[in-house]
Amino acid sequence: MPYVWLGEIMKDVAVIGIGMNRWGELWQKSIRDLIAESALLALEDAGIDRVEAMYIGCMSSGLFTDQEHLGAIAPDYTGFCPVPGTRVESACASGGAAFRTAFAHVASGLSDIVMVVGVEKMTDVDGAKATFALATAADQEYEVYNGVTFPGLYAMMANHHMHKYGTTRDQMAQVAVKNHKNGMKNELAQFRTEITIEQVKNAVMVADPLTILDCSPITDGSAAVVLCSMDTAKKLTKKRLVKVVGSGHASDTIQLAQRSDFSSLKSTALAAQQAYKMANRKPADINFAEVHDCFTIAEIMVIEALGFVEAGKGGKATIDGLTAIDGKIPVNASGGLKSKGHPVGATGVAQIVELVKQIRGEAEPGRQVKNANIGLAQNMGGSGASSVVHILEGV
Amino acid sequence: MPYVWLGEIMKDVAVIGIGMNRWGELWQKSIRDLIAESALLALEDAGIDRVEAMYIGCMSSGLFTDQEHLGAIAPDYTGFCPVPGTRVESACASGGAAFRTAFAHVASGLSDIVMVVGVEKMTDVDGAKATFALATAADQEYEVYNGVTFPGLYAMMANHHMHKYGTTRDQMAQVAVKNHKNGMKNELAQFRTEITIEQVKNAVMVADPLTILDCSPITDGSAAVVLCSMDTAKKLTKKRLVKVVGSGHASDTIQLAQRSDFSSLKSTALAAQQAYKMANRKPADINFAEVHDCFTIAEIMVIEALGFVEAGKGGKATIDGLTAIDGKIPVNASGGLKSKGHPVGATGVAQIVELVKQIRGEAEPGRQVKNANIGLAQNMGGSGASSVVHILEGV
């Protein structure tokens, strides 16, 4: 089983700085503005004035903004030049993949202080072009060519989950209701409005059974974190130290059609298995999680893949309150992709921002998780062809 | 000076497998075919049947082939699924950046055996769209918006170099003549034809003083390498071990206009400084090099930035034969970007393939460098906004 981590991380790594801008339709800001804004917030939070390398998580700046080479744009426009920058792309898991890459970079000794910026500027193109750009995360030759888009792919997964396990529309809608309730209290979220199960079910249909309120939005936004070796972290910061204790990453077939089962997320299960093993933790040890609720059904399938509940029990657990802010394991206290917004390359980094904020006890009143000591972030690309899982722990 | 490496690499890393397909206009092959072709060749060369992670260097599969998420495509179509894949982009330095990222990954202990595939499929779009896609490596808002393309940017650098140092058209043309002479003997090169200085000078003008024969071509191609820890390499391979002894990466302003000097490549000089320091080597220790001759003037500026010759002496040194296959320090024995081709994301990985091939003594007769023990690869993005330098040594 090559996907189960059996090695030894050479250096302990901590997150010492976090930054995130207010997400939404930010017509007045270019992609370089977004990068600089979160980068400088993270630098300020870390209390430092320089980094040694940057990684930029971004899915498709080429198709969204006609600009590749963010690895050069980012250090240049944050004032870090000639520090090196490298863009990492893994569709909607670009942010998580960039964080994992930076984690390995610090653990290797190649640099000591590394910044990760996740960013996507999605509203400079119209809806059709945005849908096309996002569809490049699926199989262009076999899926997209035949007309399927992401709501269509997740709708197939939802229908199969409903058929196989009896998952209901109300259970799926409850994911959106819960996440909007949390997001209302998040000052940086795109949609800070309360919604009801009835509103979700009666909203405009996108791909049966998913309505517009089952779908995460198109968003402009960025998020940034600063990583460094634990030894350096102890010298640099007086804030609570947050250690990266687990990291996992796995793939699945790019085509949904080639999988043996539409109702489970194998790549997430495998990535979680690696992260739990590295952290020497089990699902029951996790205090809270940020997961990839690109569609409501996704959150249900993810909490099953992470082992928080058995396969098929995710919908019922959600409506029963397991993942509510005062539940046994709060999920998406930030509002998730649904309410906070989903600038695809930024999402995975924003999840790490949220984990650190919660572990430090810095979240807004009403959405701060009690005893938030061990947090998990799960970020996913395509219809689950890539999954990245991280576990962070306050020390 | 944050860009000078002062850390300690936690694990020694070796390259144990190389693979590259025949480059050219490969209309019958899709980008996933190209990835799989080189990946399987590298696997066979390494004599192994699995890897634990993949990195994919690619500049703009979104604009060239409507397909992002190669991090999922690559493991899927090489049969490695559920092994994780991550795409790395740094414009034309994507391959070098992917190799450096994989190097850090292995050195961190996160995985032991990692494959890097560089790829670009450029001929599925017409020339105008290819030029547009390549221009996304420059500053979209300030350079491209005003109509400049890459031949134009390098032409400005060439004119300045000619004005400042007296570099001549013949000296620049000699870069192309030398690289075509080497490339003729490279079975995998795109253009295996001999050319003369007169032909270069009299070819169709692209951007004064650069003619079409001063420019590297549009190419489809891929290249792959397998990295692993030195301990594992010793167990796995009977071939000559090739160790990664130096790695450097630096940035410059994305806009040419914002630099104090058009006639030098600061990012390459800084990246080389890091790589030399890590390797504990100086320019005179390097036996041969593969450098980024996207335009003839680029090779002249690069050999100056690497310290092979003094600033301003690159042109004369080239025409005097310093960098010829039988010169003191052969440069681009592979044919370089000019003759071998330049599938942008593949180029940096193909440079590593060539270094290993030369160090093992496996290059074709007539282009095998004598005493090729220490090789340097320099890969560059945009007009030098990103540079990556690696030094490999036979052990």
Side-chain angles (χ1 to χ4, degrees):
Chain A
M1 294 204 295
Y3 42 85
V4 176
W5 177 81
L6 295 166
E8 185 194 356
I9 293 299
M10 303 302 286
K11 270 190 185 186
D12 286 344
V13 178
V15 180
I16 59 161
I18 55 173
M20 178 175 154
N21 76 327
R22 168 81 200 261
W23 287 5
E25 295 189 50
L26 308 176
W27 296 321
Q28 76 284 17
K29 291 178 187 174
S30 74
I31 191 166
R32 64 188 75 189
D33 295 331
L34 295 178
I35 291 170
E37 199 174 354
S38 287
L40 296 177
L41 286 170
L43 204 67
E44 189 180 3
D45 181 66
I48 58 176
D49 61 5
R50 68 176 185 90
V51 297
E52 293 162 15
M54 293 184 89
Y55 283 91
I56 299 88
C58 180
M59 174 179 164
S60 196
S61 56
L63 289 165
F64 282 120
T65 65
D66 301 339
Q67 180 71 66
E68 307 281 11
H69 210 187
L70 297 185
I73 293 271
D76 192 4
Y77 278 80
T78 45
F80 292 154
C81 203
V83 157
T86 306
R87 174 186 164 209
V88 170
E89 184 263 322
S90 200
C92 302
S94 296
F99 181 76
R100 178 170 156 93
T101 307
F103 166 66
H105 187 117
V106 174
S108 75
L110 196 53
S111 307
D112 198 26
I113 308 177
V114 175
M115 179 178 280
V116 184
V117 184
V119 69
E120 211 80 48
K121 175 79 176 111
M122 303 173 76
T123 67
D124 283 355
V125 295
D126 64 24
K129 183 149 185 206
T131 298
F132 172 78
L134 289 169
T136 64
D139 190 315
Q140 186 60 230
E141 296 182 20
Y142 292 89
E143 292 181 322
V144 185
Y145 180 81
N146 289 301
V148 78
T149 59
F150 273 99
L153 289 167
Y154 277 90
M156 285 189 257
M157 293 156 90
N159 279 313
H160 190 64
H161 206 275
M162 292 167 84
H163 171 75
K164 186 169 176 182
Y165 296 119
T167 300
T168 66
R169 273 304 285 127
D170 281 23
Q171 290 169 355
M172 284 191 273
Q174 178 60 25
V175 171
V177 170
K178 165 182 71 71
N179 291 352
H180 270 259
K181 196 176 168 191
N182 293 338
M184 275 183 68
K185 291 156 196 144
N186 184 343
E187 289 171 5
L188 304 176
Q190 181 173 16
F191 292 120
R192 302 179 65 187
T193 46
E194 194 154 12
I195 55 173
T196 64
I197 287 180
E198 287 308 308
Q199 282 175 317
V200 176
K201 291 197 294 184
N202 295 324
V204 173
M205 184 63 71
V206 176
D208 191 8
L210 305 175
T211 72
I212 191 80
L213 289 177
D214 285 284
C215 306
S216 56
I218 301 287
T219 312
D220 301 328
S222 65
V225 299
V226 178
L227 296 89
C228 67
S229 65
M230 186 55 81
D231 290 346
T232 300
K234 284 176 184 162
K235 290 176 208 153
L236 286 179
T237 187
K238 290 197 172 64
K239 297 186 180 174
R240 185 166 189 205
L241 287 172
V242 179
K243 184 178 166 185
V244 184
V245 293
S247 177
H249 186 185
S251 70
D252 201 345
T253 62
I254 181 108
Q255 282 177 54
L256 186 60
Q258 289 195 334
R259 300 184 200 154
S260 57
D261 181 16
F262 283 19
S263 66
S264 65
L265 291 165
K266 202 169 78 172
S267 63
T268 291
L270 292 173
Q273 194 182 336
Q274 294 169 44
Y276 287 135
K277 191 175 171 70
M278 191 189 293
N280 196 22
R281 294 287 183 187
K282 53 190 190 302
D285 296 327
I286 304 299
N287 302 139
F288 69 105
E290 287 287 307
V291 311
H292 199 90
D293 59 322
C294 48
F295 299 94
T296 50
I297 184 64
E299 180 170 315
I300 289 171
M301 290 171 69
V302 169
I303 62 172
E304 295 172 5
L306 294 173
F308 295 166
V309 295
E310 281 174 47
K313 303 284 173 69
K316 183 170 187 303
T318 300
I319 217 154
D320 287 349
L322 178 85
T323 55
I325 193 71
D326 55 358
K328 195 174 156 204
I329 174 157
V331 169
N332 286 328
S334 69
L337 286 56
K338 180 68 202 79
S339 158
K340 187 175 54 180
H342 184 27
V344 285
T347 286
V349 181
Q351 291 180 330
I352 304 294
V353 168
E354 175 70 9
L355 258 48
V356 174
K357 198 180 270 191
Q358 290 284 354
I359 290 171
R360 286 185 187 164
E362 294 174 356
E364 292 91 336
R367 66 174 206 86
Q368 172 67 47
V369 173
K370 280 181 198 135
N371 305 316
N373 194 44
I374 304 177
L376 179 149
Q378 180 269 351
N379 187 202
M380 183 156 77
S383 55
S386 295
S387 288
V388 186
V389 171
H390 283 97
I391 301 173
L392 271 62
E393 185 166 353
V395 290
Chain B
M1 295 204 292
Y3 44 84
V4 176
W5 177 80
L6 296 166
E8 184 194 358
I9 293 299
M10 304 303 285
K11 269 192 185 185
D12 286 344
V13 177
V15 180
I16 59 161
I18 55 173
M20 178 174 154
N21 75 327
R22 168 84 200 261
W23 288 5
E25 297 189 48
L26 309 175
W27 296 322
Q28 76 285 18
K29 292 177 185 173
S30 73
I31 191 166
R32 65 188 74 189
D33 295 329
L34 296 177
I35 292 170
E37 201 174 352
S38 288
L40 296 178
L41 286 169
L43 203 67
E44 189 180 1
D45 181 67
I48 57 176
D49 61 5
R50 65 174 186 93
V51 298
E52 293 162 13
M54 294 185 89
Y55 283 90
I56 298 90
C58 180
M59 174 180 163
S60 197
S61 57
L63 289 166
F64 282 120
T65 65
D66 301 341
Q67 180 71 68
E68 308 281 11
H69 210 187
L70 297 185
I73 292 272
D76 192 3
Y77 279 81
T78 46
F80 292 154
C81 203
V83 157
T86 306
R87 174 187 164 208
V88 170
E89 183 263 325
S90 198
C92 302
S94 297
F99 181 76
R100 179 171 155 91
T101 307
F103 167 68
H105 186 118
V106 174
S108 76
L110 197 54
S111 307
D112 198 26
I113 307 177
V114 175
M115 178 178 282
V116 184
V117 184
V119 69
E120 212 79 48
K121 176 78 177 111
M122 302 173 77
T123 67
D124 283 355
V125 295
D126 63 25
K129 182 146 188 208
T131 299
F132 172 78
L134 289 169
T136 63
D139 190 316
Q140 185 60 232
E141 296 183 19
Y142 292 90
E143 292 181 320
V144 186
Y145 180 80
N146 289 302
V148 78
T149 59
F150 273 99
L153 288 166
Y154 277 91
M156 287 190 254
M157 295 156 89
N159 280 313
H160 189 62
H161 206 275
M162 292 168 85
H163 172 74
K164 186 169 176 183
Y165 296 119
T167 299
T168 66
R169 272 306 283 126
D170 281 23
Q171 290 170 357
M172 283 192 273
Q174 178 60 24
V175 171
V177 170
K178 166 181 71 71
N179 291 351
H180 270 259
K181 198 177 166 190
N182 293 338
M184 274 182 67
K185 292 156 198 145
N186 184 342
E187 288 171 6
L188 304 176
Q190 181 173 16
F191 292 121
R192 302 179 65 187
T193 46
E194 194 154 15
I195 55 173
T196 64
I197 286 180
E198 288 309 308
Q199 282 176 317
V200 176
K201 291 198 293 186
N202 295 323
V204 173
M205 184 63 73
V206 176
D208 191 8
L210 305 175
T211 72
I212 189 81
L213 288 177
D214 286 285
C215 307
S216 57
I218 301 287
T219 312
D220 301 329
S222 65
V225 299
V226 178
L227 297 90
C228 68
S229 65
M230 186 55 83
D231 290 345
T232 299
K234 284 175 185 164
K235 289 176 209 154
L236 286 180
T237 187
K238 289 196 172 66
K239 296 185 182 176
R240 186 167 187 205
L241 287 172
V242 180
K243 184 179 166 185
V244 185
V245 293
S247 177
H249 186 187
S251 70
D252 201 345
T253 63
I254 181 110
Q255 281 177 54
L256 187 60
Q258 289 196 335
R259 298 183 203 157
S260 56
D261 181 16
F262 282 18
S263 66
S264 66
L265 291 165
K266 202 168 83 175
S267 64
T268 291
L270 292 172
Q273 195 181 332
Q274 295 169 44
Y276 288 135
K277 192 176 172 70
M278 192 190 293
N280 196 24
R281 294 286 181 187
K282 52 189 188 306
D285 297 328
I286 304 299
N287 302 137
F288 69 105
E290 288 288 307
V291 312
H292 198 91
D293 59 322
C294 48
F295 299 93
T296 50
I297 185 63
E299 180 170 315
I300 290 172
M301 292 171 70
V302 168
I303 62 173
E304 296 173 3
L306 294 174
F308 294 167
V309 294
E310 281 174 43
K313 302 284 174 68
K316 185 169 184 306
T318 300
I319 216 154
D320 288 348
L322 178 85
T323 54
I325 192 74
D326 55 357
K328 197 173 154 205
I329 174 158
V331 169
N332 285 329
S334 69
L337 284 55
K338 179 66 200 79
S339 158
K340 187 176 55 181
H342 184 26
V344 287
T347 286
V349 181
Q351 292 179 330
I352 303 294
V353 168
E354 175 69 9
L355 259 48
V356 173
K357 200 180 269 191
Q358 290 283 353
I359 291 170
R360 287 186 188 165
E362 294 174 356
E364 292 90 338
R367 68 173 205 86
Q368 172 67 48
V369 174
K370 281 182 197 134
N371 304 317
N373 194 44
I374 305 177
L376 179 149
Q378 180 268 351
N379 187 204
M380 184 155 77
S383 55
S386 295
S387 288
V388 186
V389 172
H390 283 98
I391 302 173
L392 271 61
E393 187 167 349
V395 291

